[in-house]
Amino acid sequence: MKKHDQDFMKRQNRLTVFEIIKNQQPISRASIAKQTGMSPTTISRIVGELTEEGFLLESEQVSVGLGRKSTLIAMVDAAVLSVGVELDRHQFHIGIVDIQGNVVAGGRYPRTADESADVTLERIGAELDRLTKAHDIDCERIIGIGIGLPGIVDNDSGVVVFSVQLGWKQVHLAERLKEITGYDVAIDNELKVKALAEHLKGAAIGSSRTALLGFGNGVGSAIIVDGEIYRGKTNSAGEIGHTTIDPNGMMCDCGKAGCLQTYININSLLSEANKIRPTRSIEELFEARRAGERWAVYLIERALMYMAITINNVVCMYNPDSVILSGELGDKFPEIYDEVVELCISKFVWEPLRGSFTILRSELHEQGVVIGSGLMSQNCFFALK
C-alpha cells in the first residue's frame, strides 16, 4: 500500500473511532474494536493519541464480568469548539459549536444582496471576534470554521464555484477567510451540511438513506447514504431547484426559464403576488391565503403541489427510507407540512413507493446549517490531525 493510501486510511480510522466515541460514550476499547473490525492495537493507539491531545478521558474501571474489568472512554465536550456559519442572501448566522453539536454562543447579522464577498468575509471575521469576547470564549479551543452556503461549492479547494443567491462566482472563500481569521476553513453547500447535522444529531439518526429537501429562498436537496454525503462528480448532486419544469415558464435567477424553484421559492412567490397587489413579505402572502383571497390561495397551493412533486421525483431517483422537509417555508408556516404529506399520499407519490419511506420535519430548523457547518469543521480537524 502506498504511503498516501496508508495516511488516508489512518485519518479515516481516526475519524471513525472519534465518531463512535462521541455518539456512544462512555464506551470500551473492546466495543470499538468489535464495531470497526480494527485491531485492539490500532484502537489503543488512536485512543492514546486523542487522550494525550486532551479530547478524551477515561473513567474508573467497571466490572464487566467475573473478575474482569474494562476502562470506559468518553469525550471532553469542552476540549474542542468550532465555528459554524450559515451564509444567505440577506443575512449570515454565526454559532460556536461544541463537540456534541450544541451551539454555545451565536448571533445573526444582516447583509445586503449586493454585498461583495470580501466585505461579507471581513464582517464575519469582525463579528466572530466580538462574539468570542462577549461570551468569554477561549479562542485556543476553536479548531476551525465551517461554512454552509447556497450554490455549487468545491469543498476540496474551498472555492464557491457559483451561487445564484449570493451572486458569487469563483470566490476563494476558505483561503480568504483563513487570511482574515487565522483559522482553517471548510465550506460546503448549505443543504449538505444541514443533512449532515440531521444525520448526526436530528431527524435522520438511524437512517441509512436520507433525502433532505430545502424549500425557502431556493429549492435544493441533499442525500446521505450510509452516513456519507452523496456529492456527484462536481459536488452538485441535489441541485434539483434548477431542474426544468416548463421550458416556457418563468425566468429563474440562474438565467434559465422554467426552473422548479421559480414555482416554490419565496422570491418567486412574492414576485407573482406583486402582480396582483403590493406584497412585502411571505407572511403577507400567507395572511392573504388565510383570508381566502383566491390569487393567494392559488399561488400557495401551486407551490405545495410542486413540493409534493419534488418529493416524488427524489423518492423515485434515490429510494430513501427517510425524507426530511426543511427550509424557511416549513419553519415559518408549519401547517404546510401536513398539506404536503397529504398531497404526496393522495396524488403524487408513485404507488409502488408509497409506504417505503417516512416524511419527517427537520428537528434542527434554523440552527441546522450552523450546527452542520461546525461539525463538518470538527470532522476535518479530527480526520487530518
Side-chain angles (χ1 to χ4, degrees), residues 277-288:
R277 69 166 170 80
T279 309
R280 292 167 297 180
S281 68
I282 194 67
E283 287 83 359
E284 283 188 24
L285 177 57
F286 269 78
E287 197 57 48

Side-chain angles (χ1 to χ4, degrees), residues 146-159:
I147 297 188
L149 57 98
I152 298 174
V153 171
D154 184 336
N155 61 304
D156 288 331
S157 66
V159 174

Side-chain angles (χ1 to χ4, degrees), residues 213-220 264 306-307 310-311 325-330:
L213 304 180
F215 299 112
N217 290 315
V219 174
I264 302 174
Y306 278 110
M307 288 183 191
T310 303
I311 291 170
L325 302 187
S326 71
E328 193 172 345
L329 283 175

Side-chain angles (χ1 to χ4, degrees), residues 74-110:
M75 304 297 303
V76 179
D77 289 351
V80 165
L81 297 172
S82 58
V83 180
V85 179
E86 177 181 13
L87 251 180
D88 213 334
R89 184 186 302 232
H90 298 297
Q91 66 173 351
F92 58 89
H93 180 193
I94 300 175
I96 297 173
V97 179
D98 72 12
I99 214 162
Q100 294 299 329
N102 302 307
V103 178
V104 299
R108 293 179 181 275
Y109 312 91

Side-chain angles (χ1 to χ4, degrees), residues 60-350:
E60 294 182 5
Q61 291 185 328
V62 295
S63 176
V64 294
L66 194 60
R68 297 172 58 214
K69 294 193 173 183
S70 174
T71 302
L72 297 182
I73 305 156
M75 304 297 303
V76 179
D77 289 351
V80 165
L81 297 172
S82 58
V83 180
V85 179
E86 177 181 13
L87 251 180
D88 213 334
R89 184 186 302 232
H90 298 297
Q91 66 173 351
F92 58 89
H93 180 193
I94 300 175
I96 297 173
V97 179
D98 72 12
I99 214 162
Q100 294 299 329
N102 302 307
V103 178
V104 299
R108 293 179 181 275
Y109 312 91
R111 68 179 295 273
T112 58
D114 59 352
E115 188 173 284
S116 72
D118 220 46
V119 168
T120 296
L121 298 181
E122 290 280 1
R123 290 185 59 215
I124 289 172
E127 295 298 350
L128 174 58
D129 186 54
R130 276 192 277 272
L131 194 63
T132 54
K133 288 174 180 173
H135 292 270
D136 199 24
I137 301 291
D138 179 4
C139 293
E140 292 295 317
R141 290 159 53 201
I142 296 177
I143 51 82
I145 299 173
I147 297 188
L149 57 98
I152 298 174
V153 171
D154 184 336
N155 61 304
D156 288 331
S157 66
V159 174
V160 180
V161 178
F162 181 56
S163 173
V164 172
Q165 288 93 326
L166 298 175
W168 294 359
K169 285 185 181 179
Q170 296 300 325
V171 174
H172 291 256
L173 190 156
E175 179 185 335
R176 181 70 187 109
L177 191 57
K178 183 173 182 177
E179 289 174 359
I180 293 168
T181 64
Y183 296 117
D184 288 331
V185 178
I187 72 171
D188 211 334
N189 173 271
E190 60 176 351
L191 287 181
K192 287 182 172 64
V193 297
K194 194 169 191 177
L196 178 66
E198 293 285 355
H199 175 73
L200 295 175
K201 192 177 168 64
I205 292 174
S207 167
S208 61
R209 185 178 289 258
T210 304
L212 181 137
L213 304 180
F215 299 112
N217 290 315
V219 174
S221 69
I223 311 297
I224 301 274
V225 180
D226 295 329
E228 296 291 326
I229 298 170
Y230 176 68
R231 297 185 178 280
K233 184 177 180 181
T234 62
N235 197 29
S236 60
E239 286 287 341
I240 54 172
H242 297 289
T243 53
T244 302
I245 297 298
D246 179 2
N248 300 310
M250 294 178 283
M251 289 299 298
C252 179
D253 288 345
C254 74
K256 191 161 65 73
C259 290
L260 169 65
Q261 73 170 22
T262 62
Y263 296 90
I264 302 174
N265 79 344
I266 290 171
N267 282 340
S268 296
L269 289 171
L270 293 179
S271 177
E272 289 288 288
N274 275 287
K275 293 176 183 177
I276 308 299
R277 69 166 170 80
T279 309
R280 292 167 297 180
S281 68
I282 194 67
E283 287 83 359
E284 283 188 24
L285 177 57
F286 269 78
E287 197 57 48
R289 184 207 191 197
R290 293 186 193 104
E293 296 187 41
R294 290 179 63 184
W295 61 274
V297 170
Y298 168 77
L299 284 178
I300 292 173
E301 290 190 351
R302 184 182 68 176
L304 300 185
M305 176 185 73
Y306 278 110
M307 288 183 191
I309 289 171
T310 303
I311 291 170
N312 173 66
N313 292 348
V314 167
V315 167
C316 285
M317 285 189 288
Y318 297 108
N319 195 204
D321 57 55
S322 303
V323 174
I324 301 175
L325 302 187
S326 71
E328 193 172 345
L329 283 175
D331 290 344
K332 286 186 172 180
F333 312 103
E335 67 270 19
I336 70 173
Y337 171 85
D338 290 335
E339 295 182 64
V340 171
V341 171
E342 176 55 33
L343 284 169
C344 287
I345 294 169
S346 63
K347 291 184 179 180
F348 292 110
V349 170
W350 187 37

